[in-house]
Amino acid sequence: MQLLVLGGSVFLSRAVVETALARGHDVVALTRGRSGSVPAGARHVVADRDDPLPADLVTGRFDAVVDVGRQPSHVRRAVRAWPDARWVLVSTISVYADDADPAGPGAGRLHEARHDDADLSADPAAYGPLKVACEEIVRAGAPDAVVVRPGLVVGPGDPSGRFTAWPARLRRLTGAPDDGDVLAPGSPDDLVQTIDVRDLATWIVDLAETSVAGTFDAVAPAVPIAAYLAAVARGCGVAPRWRWVDHDRLTALDVRPWSGPRSVPLWLPRPAYDGMPAHDAAPALAAGLTPRPLEDTARDVLAWLDADPDAPVTGLTDAEEAEVLHAVLG
Ligand SMILES: NC(=O)c1ccc[n+]([C@@H]2O[C@H](COP(=O)([O-])OP(=O)(O)OC[C@H]3O[C@@H](n4cnc5c(N)ncnc54)[C@H](OP(=O)(O)O)[C@@H]3O)[C@@H](O)[C@H]2O)c1
């Protein structure tokens, strides 16, 4: 297969290129060259999607295109260039307008599409509306397209540091039974839902090779956070003493959810985000997405942390976590 990946140097799109190359496909990867190299074996086309696409690429023929784009003009230009290719658009569950419905994405209601491009660093809330527009453009221009909407993507190479924060925290334990207090956020029953980048990339290449059409939430089954963290700890070979601190107490101590300074990564405010980690994985699983055990993801992220001292990690520092636990436990 001649595969064009619009992206290819970062986390998911890089994993897609690696997976396709391993299957013997011919892969062209288009990036600006700012985020690093593309995997060896792919042809790297350096271009900025803000500009017209390179003429020699537009005259090329591709069996499939995988696009991780976020700007409608980028996706529009690409769909016009290769309307007959098999299209796989990587969207996001952030297209859904309701994150609070505990049954998942509400009634499936989406944000209103935003068809102009936007500066996402200045206006992060535009992300979902832009992706809704990208979906509309792909479905209109390539009616047999498949759209995958990932939830939180995790695994080795993650530039966000969110899942990585947990193996990074747990690797400081010794592995002895009950060998350390570790802050656990919210309620043990709160759901967490992620997908390993390699499983998602495998499925995206599967989809590029076949003719399955439609739109899928690309998530593994949701898991209560107590079971989720226990699996991560098993993968890291440690047995922490989890110290649960509820939402109100964390908020009062200026601990923040999800990501960034003073955050507990993966923790989401409730009930505002009850639905975000509660998407139905069944359609994607029926269409071939095969999530690996969380233990394996955690073990491999640990190996990545060992190999790469610059692996990004977000969240509370050790001193901040100790200060929170001291405030709670005395
Ligand atoms: N991470 C998550 O948890 C998560 C969750 C839901 C959905 N998603 C979706 O999953 C996808 C993630 O893709 P990813 O991991 O590959 O990360 P990404 O940050 O979306 O990667 C963007 C890729 O496109 C290239 N690129 C960016 N701007 C460009 C431009 N103007 N012209 C040409 N190339 C450009 C980048 O390389 P250069 O910078 O070198 O150009 C890079 O290779 C996205 O579609 C995202 O919306 C992610």
Side-chain angles (χ1 to χ4, degrees), residues 93-175:
I93 58 165
S94 298
V95 292
Y96 293 109
D98 181 358
D99 282 324
D101 186 338
R109 191 168 56 84
L110 303 182
H111 288 290
E112 196 171 323
R114 179 168 171 177
H115 278 267
D116 58 324
D117 291 356
D119 177 359
L120 281 166
S121 53
D123 183 9
Y127 176 56
L130 290 173
K131 283 285 202 182
V132 176
C134 294
E135 291 190 5
E136 290 178 358
I137 290 162
V138 166
R139 289 194 198 98
D144 294 331
V146 62
V147 173
V148 300
R149 295 173 173 161
L152 181 66
V153 185
V154 302
D158 182 358
S160 81
R162 291 169 291 196
F163 176 88
T164 315
W166 288 98
R169 170 68 186 88
L170 296 175
R171 79 206 281 251
R172 296 195 286 275
L173 303 183
T174 64

Side-chain angles (χ1 to χ4, degrees), residues 6-15 30-38 44-51 67-71 74 89-94 127 131 148-154 158-160 162 195 197 200 258:
L6 296 168
S9 54
V10 174
F11 199 36
L12 175 60
S13 55
R14 187 177 178 88
L30 182 145
T31 79
R32 293 166 302 183
R34 292 189 193 168
S35 306
S37 61
V38 303
H44 190 187
V45 173
V46 178
D48 190 330
R49 298 183 72 185
D50 285 342
D51 303 327
D67 192 352
V68 296
R70 297 152 201 245
Q71 300 294 358
H74 295 182
L89 177 74
V90 181
S91 182
T92 169
I93 58 165
S94 298
Y127 176 56
K131 283 285 202 182
V148 300
R149 295 173 173 161
L152 181 66
V153 185
V154 302
D158 182 358
S160 81
R162 291 169 291 196
I195 184 68
V197 64
L200 182 53
W258 195 238

Side-chain angles (χ1 to χ4, degrees), residues 6 55 61 86-87 112 146 170 191 208 270 280:
L6 296 168
R61 195 197 150 274
R86 162 97 177 121
W87 265 84
E112 196 171 323
V146 62
L170 296 175
L191 294 178
R270 312 291 166 141
D280 183 6

